[in-house]
Amino acid sequence: MTGVAAPFIDAANAMRVEGPECPPFPVRDGCAVEPLVEAAEMYPAMERLVLDARKSVWLAFRVFDPDTRTRSAEAKARGLADWTALIIDAVQRGVSVRVMIADFEPVMADYLHAGSWASFRRLRDAAAPLDAAIATRLEIMIVMHEGELGWVWRQALRLAVGARARKVVAKLLDGDAADGGLSVRPGLWRYVLWRSGKPARIRAVPQLPRLWPATYHQKFAVIDGTTAVAGGLDLDERRWDDRRHRQRADQTWHDVSAIVRGPAVADAARHFATLWNAELPRYRAVVAEWSNGTGETLQLDPLTDAVELPPPAPGGQARVQFLRTRSRLSTSPVAFGPRAHVRELKAAHRSMIIGARRQLYIEAQFFRSAVAARWVVQALRASPGLEVIILVANVPEEIAFEGQGDNPAHRHGEYLQARALKRVVRAGGRDRVGLFTLAKREAVRRDEEDFVEDRGTAFGSGLIHIHAKLLIADGESCLLSSANINGRSFEWDTEFGLLWAHDDAGIAAFRDHLWRQLFAGHLDGSATLDDWRRAALANVDATPETRKGFVVPYQIGRARRFGRPYWFVPDDLV
């Protein structure tokens, strides 16, 4: 393969672990990119795309709740109140709809597992009254990542997993679940003795438990093979927020996605079809194993192979390359997760960071990767004029809002992040590196006071949860994806995103739009690190209601004091 110009990825710099198969997608000319900041921009845009679809709608999300309310005027005008109605309307118009939702470890993450299967049941129930020929246009798959723990770890964790399963099932048998209970937890059916089609009591499972630590973390859609949407946003009510961030702190959400048009869309469709077709037989096998001996069944069909779509005509001036993270089942008996395979998004982060010369802007839910910190240090040393602006979540939402501060995995993650960011700051110094986060423009509300102890507030305000995964280098290239800056996204989980370049005006306009929202119009895309720092410090000194935007300093000291390294928590797990 002929080498491509930086920051794009080819076979030579893709950081592939094994084999020449599954090469990087080509760099596509003639594309158009429309960034979408916050769900308030992304959700209505997605709805309009589905409403306008003529042939096909392919949806691939980590979290997809069909009860999510519609927000666009167009959907509301047609009486479509939620995404269930939107999808049923599409299939009734003759559109083929495929929905691929991530599944989760049934025992250790039963509530996430239940969420995915509740979405499955909601859509299946909605399609049931339809004429059979119409109903076959809706295909749904709940996809469990193939990576599993090896035999040694399954043996070592057998008693702990069994105890956890018994605890979860006991609560479900007592009726202590408002989300559908066992009906939406097929991965737990094998832990239940069934009588006359009803769960009767807990039963022991003789075989070793299968444990799935990795997941499908991607968030993208392909409409009619001509338009793609990709980035950091899943689709549910939790992620809904707008540029004002006036919701309670635990309901805020900052994120970025983008609409892509042009020849690159065919690569997004190819990625979807490849995953869909590869997962079909394994999906059936896993569900059959869960159902075996229970008397319970799941109506999986209709399910058919997805056919790759032809590339659309050029329609813009941007160059776009879609990129992935994919991993495979490790056959090692001591495997704690999958083995790395396709690491294009990791390679793109390296290329973007090392190639930055003037300004590197990063938005991240997590910045926990030691190797990414080394890349930033390398870039700072190579380019004395480089300034680095990092906007990162002040604390994980699981700690701040969900009471999981005693979880070793979360504390280990905070340790990794404080260590990585400290290394970057030490290399560049205060004049060249700035760490920032987001806080609301109102004082802590009475219903947010419970978050204070768990670091869910900062500088007298509730936090705004940052979930974006974004890099902009020198205003010339942009990486927007589902991948966090951590080992899990670089090595384990299935991730998807786009690298966008050769569109300086478009990228500059995006940065300007984004920064104006972050600073409520007081700074724009021409701002420097010094501008950011002065504005953030002024926001700390001001009353929350008079702040110029949402940007405040990131509290690395609090993360450092909270974080703890645990030898038994793999870095790639968090």
Side-chain angles (χ1 to χ4, degrees), residues 67 120 148 191 326 380:
D67 288 334
F120 173 90
E148 297 185 44
Y191 293 96
R326 292 185 63 187
L380 286 164

Side-chain angles (χ1 to χ4, degrees), residues 552-566:
V552 294
Y554 171 71
Q555 296 174 310
I556 190 172
R558 298 183 76 182
R560 185 172 61 249
R561 290 188 294 272
F562 181 87
R564 293 287 186 277
Y566 289 94

Side-chain angles (χ1 to χ4, degrees), residues 39 41-53 68-76 78 80-83 86 93 235 240:
E41 292 185 5
M42 188 271 210
Y43 284 13
M46 277 279 294
E47 293 165 19
R48 287 189 285 269
L49 290 173
V50 174
L51 288 169
D52 291 341
T68 304
R69 301 193 307 275
T70 54
R71 263 69 184 201
S72 66
E74 293 86 345
K76 293 177 180 179
R78 290 167 66 165
L80 305 175
D82 57 25
W83 269 80
L86 195 67
R93 290 187 285 107
L235 201 143
W240 169 261

Side-chain angles (χ1 to χ4, degrees), residues 342-394:
V342 176
R343 301 190 295 182
E344 295 160 359
L345 281 164
K346 182 178 182 179
H349 278 79
R350 179 185 62 180
S351 179
M352 288 271 295
I353 292 170
I354 292 178
R357 295 292 179 264
R358 300 182 303 278
Q359 185 184 79
L360 176 64
Y361 177 68
I362 298 173
E363 288 192 7
Q365 179 185 6
F366 304 124
F367 193 119
R368 295 173 172 175
S369 169
V371 67
R374 288 198 294 270
W375 297 334
V376 178
V377 172
Q378 181 179 342
L380 286 164
R381 291 173 177 168
S383 301
L386 176 66
E387 60 181 30
V388 178
I389 300 171
I390 300 177
L391 184 71
V392 63
N394 206 46

Side-chain angles (χ1 to χ4, degrees), residues 84 133 147 155 312 317 356 415 528:
T84 299
Q155 191 71 260
Q317 62 181 4
Y415 160 76
T528 64

Side-chain angles (χ1 to χ4, degrees), residues 289 408 536 557:
E289 179 182 324

Side-chain angles (χ1 to χ4, degrees), residues 113-136:
H113 175 64
S116 297
W117 284 99
S119 295
F120 173 90
R121 286 196 177 275
R122 180 74 179 90
L123 290 172
R124 275 277 167 261
D125 291 347
L130 300 178
D131 180 84
I134 297 174
T136 57

